[in-house]
Amino acid sequence: MSDIALIQNIAEYAGKTVTIQGWVADKTDKGKLQFLRVRDGTGVIQATLFHKAVSPEAFDLAKRVPQESSVRVTGEVRQEPRAPGGYELAVTDFQAVQLARDEFPITPKEHGIEFLMHNRHLWLRSSRQHAILRIRATIIKAIRDWLDDNGFMLMDTPILTPASVEGTTTLFETDFYGDPAFLTQSGQLYNEANAMAFGKVYCFGPTFRAEKSKTRRHLSEFWMVEPEWAFGTLDDYMNVAERMVSYVAQTVLQQRAAELQVLERDTSFLEKIVPPFPRISYDDAVKIIKEKGDANFKWGDDFGAPDETLISEQFDRPVFVHHYPTAMKAFYMAPDPERPEVCLSADLLAPEGYGEIIGGGQRSDNLEYLEAQLEKHKLPREPYEWYLDLRKYGSVPHCGFGLGIERTVAWICKLEHVRETIPFPRMLDKIYP
RNA sequence: UCCGCGAUAGCUCAAUCGGCAGAGCAUGCGGCUGUUAACCGCAGGGUUGGAGGUUCAAGUCCUCCUCGCGGAGCCA
């Protein structure tokens, strides 16, 4: 048998005979000429079978091979302008590994979202899903590369936790040797302990929220990267976040141009994603909403989706909104010393209506303040004892943020819904496949 | 949880005032040596989401249920 080649490297094999192992994505029957589009996971290549060039058995097999059968196809790689991708395989041998037993549900024609989601395990084979999930992988790698190269250390935080971070949102409860335990909503609190031990850290992993949210921006299980560092301030956080997000955008632009093209994503928007990002205060954001949107918006209200869209529409790159009302944010956010009704927090709103992709800020380093906040938020003290310890032994100003991977992917790919940004999305009441 | 829309062939959809259940794609068979979501011919394929009701007659009207989609709130 000839060498196994990957389709992504096919140009290197021009003039040579190779074998491709993959699946029949599509085919065209022209009588004594068969065209098969073969996909191997790294790309798609057209395999051309002339009746005279292969054995009668191989030709007959190609004629009746159903869509998504697994195959081995051998032939000479040649440049061919008429073939999609510019190269084709002039087939000399063709074998089936398995003939698909039933009609493949997903055809090159249109399908509804309900049907596609039910067949998510098969939908993953389509070119659009390949483009999105490759970009997801590139985004994750870019984030981790940037953090690793800028002195942050990966420290994974637990998935099973005894208590909620925010205390309010809904948790998935599990049984932990007879006691309740909860799937994590955030690595935040543990990250603070890690930062006091190692200085600059980040965690990266799945988080779980049992919110009854049914929107294009929500998943029950989503991935989040959370940097956290000692001696960091609100401004430090915004500086780090904008550099990291810019690096991600530029990396996707450089490495995933072909995938962005499959998604018909205009790449000029990506070129604009460079520091500095605009920064406005919550107060200023409220002014914008009152002037251009909801005149009845009151200081202290949280932004709704239309409000976030309105704010982000004022800028051509992501915008930080900082100094939110203290009452709106998590108990651990540091209050502004000059103006305690607002806190040293900031969210990053993505352009084009994609909403909040980062939330973060400076954490309170004051023991008495946090004790009072726990009471105010009606949180039990005992599960937070260890967290309060961090303010007893060398407490320092520190900051951090969490970036939602799926929302970032949806924004960069300009997708309608986050459900396509993860291989198997978990959504309200939906856990199949 | 609330508001709105929807469910008809494997898929995407049509069916006029309540009056014979339709098309394209997919599939099967036949034809074609350059197809790009090929094309041409033929064929098979239906408990109209479920339960009940009104009517001479229900895919169509009414009630309840189930499921899905879009949006809101909440959040990353």
Side-chain angles (χ1 to χ4, degrees):
Chain A
M1 195 165 70
S2 48
D3 288 349
I4 305 290
L6 292 179
I7 294 169
Q8 66 183 359
N9 304 325
I10 207 67
E12 298 166 18
Y13 294 92
K16 297 195 177 101
T17 294
V18 298
T19 295
I20 301 285
Q21 305 185 115
W23 295 262
V24 177
D26 192 17
K27 62 172 188 168
T28 305
D29 181 348
K30 281 283 295 159
K32 291 202 162 55
L33 170 59
Q34 302 288 324
F35 294 105
L36 305 178
R37 253 81 65 192
V38 178
R39 168 180 53 79
D40 74 348
T42 73
V44 179
I45 190 167
Q46 174 164 283
T48 305
L49 286 89
F50 286 98
H51 186 247
K52 287 180 185 166
V54 295
S55 69
E57 294 75 24
F59 191 82
D60 184 57
L61 182 63
K63 212 173 162 68
R64 63 189 168 82
V65 65
Q67 188 189 357
E68 288 302 324
S69 296
S70 44
V71 296
R72 289 197 184 88
V73 55
T74 301
E76 185 188 330
V77 177
R78 60 183 186 203
Q79 249 182 319
E80 171 53 71
R82 289 173 293 185
Y87 288 88
E88 72 173 14
L89 205 61
V91 178
T92 50
D93 191 26
F94 178 68
Q95 299 165 10
V97 179
Q98 191 222 16
L99 292 180
R101 291 173 172 227
D102 286 311
E103 185 184 330
F104 193 68
I106 297 173
T107 66
K109 291 283 183 174
E110 65 209 317
H111 296 289
I113 191 63
E114 180 184 0
F115 179 80
L116 289 170
M117 288 305 293
H118 188 74
N119 288 286
R120 182 62 174 167
H121 53 301
L122 304 175
W123 188 23
L124 292 174
R125 303 183 184 195
S126 71
S127 59
R128 179 182 158 82
Q129 300 309 309
H130 274 226
I132 295 167
L133 293 170
R134 284 210 177 89
I135 289 171
R136 176 193 171 94
T138 299
I139 286 171
I140 290 171
K141 183 169 170 4
I143 288 169
R144 296 210 37 201
D145 284 348
W146 192 89
L147 290 168
D148 290 342
D149 292 347
N150 282 274
F152 288 84
M153 174 175 160
L154 177 68
M155 287 191 80
D156 296 309
T157 50
I159 304 290
L160 288 168
T161 62
S164 137
V165 172
E166 319 258 336
T168 53
T169 41
T170 324
L171 295 159
F172 285 106
E173 187 173 336
T174 64
D175 179 282
F176 191 75
Y177 304 112
D179 285 326
F182 304 94
L183 298 183
T184 182
Q185 293 184 307
S186 163
Q188 159 73 44
L189 302 186
Y190 297 96
N191 251 347
E192 291 186 49
N194 290 339
M196 296 306 129
F198 289 83
K200 291 167 79 174
V201 302
Y202 70 98
C203 64
F204 176 73
T207 51
F208 307 86
R209 301 206 181 161
E211 292 161 1
K212 299 278 187 192
S213 301
K214 201 171 107 53
T215 81
R216 64 182 66 182
R217 298 202 295 273
H218 284 85
L219 295 171
S220 302
E221 176 182 305
F222 66 96
W223 288 66
M224 190 154 66
V225 61
E226 295 177 275
E228 186 80 27
W229 62 104
F231 300 102
T233 64
L234 172 61
D235 284 339
D236 294 334
Y237 141 49
M238 290 191 280
N239 292 340
V240 164
E242 72 185 4
R243 285 173 61 206
M244 188 181 90
V245 170
S246 299
Y247 177 78
V248 167
Q250 296 312 313
T251 302
V252 171
L253 183 61
Q254 281 169 25
Q255 299 181 2
R256 292 294 170 208
E259 283 77 7
L260 290 168
Q261 201 175 353
V262 168
L263 299 171
E264 295 175 332
R265 180 53 154 143
D266 175 14
T267 53
S268 65
F269 97 99
L270 274 175
E271 291 158 14
K272 296 178 196 153
I273 310 304
V274 288
F277 293 171
R279 300 176 186 191
I280 63 171
S281 67
Y282 173 86
D283 294 349
D284 291 337
V286 169
K287 276 183 205 153
I288 292 173
I289 292 167
K290 279 183 160 175
E291 274 171 33
K292 303 190 177 176
D294 178 7
N296 296 321
F297 190 92
K298 282 198 259 340
W299 194 96
D301 289 348
D302 210 344
F303 302 138
D307 305 322
E308 284 187 351
T309 302
L310 178 68
I311 295 164
S312 67
E313 272 172 359
Q314 314 299 314
F315 308 96
D316 65 348
R317 62 191 75 183
V319 53
F320 285 106
V321 179
H322 53 79
H323 286 90
Y324 281 87
T326 307
M328 247 171 64
K329 290 291 177 183
F331 76 91
Y332 49 72
M333 283 297 182
D336 186 331
E338 322 240 305
R339 205 184 148 200
E341 73 273 20
V342 295
C343 61
L344 304 177
S345 66
D347 290 349
L348 184 66
L349 307 183
E352 300 171 273
Y354 281 93
E356 185 182 343
I357 55 171
I358 288 180
Q362 191 172 328
R363 326 304 189 182
S364 173
D365 50 37
N366 182 287
L367 178 62
E368 287 72 28
Y369 178 79
L370 283 173
E371 285 173 336
Q373 281 290 94
L374 284 177
E375 262 186 52
K376 200 170 178 179
H377 286 77
K378 296 189 168 53
L379 294 169
R381 181 180 170 118
E382 202 227 323
Y384 294 95
E385 247 355 298
W386 67 266
Y387 183 71
L388 295 172
D389 267 359
L390 304 174
R391 275 70 181 175
K392 293 181 190 168
Y393 305 104
S395 190
V396 297
H398 59 289
C399 67
F401 64 95
L403 175 141
I405 298 296
E406 288 75 16
R407 285 189 185 175
T408 303
V409 176
W411 161 55
I412 286 186
C413 295
K414 198 167 187 173
L415 305 180
E416 286 295 313
H417 200 296
V418 290
R419 64 188 157 213
E420 288 182 72
T421 64
I422 185 167
F424 292 96
R426 296 294 174 244
M427 295 184 293
L428 182 57
D429 284 333
K430 279 226 290 266
I431 198 162
Y432 180 92

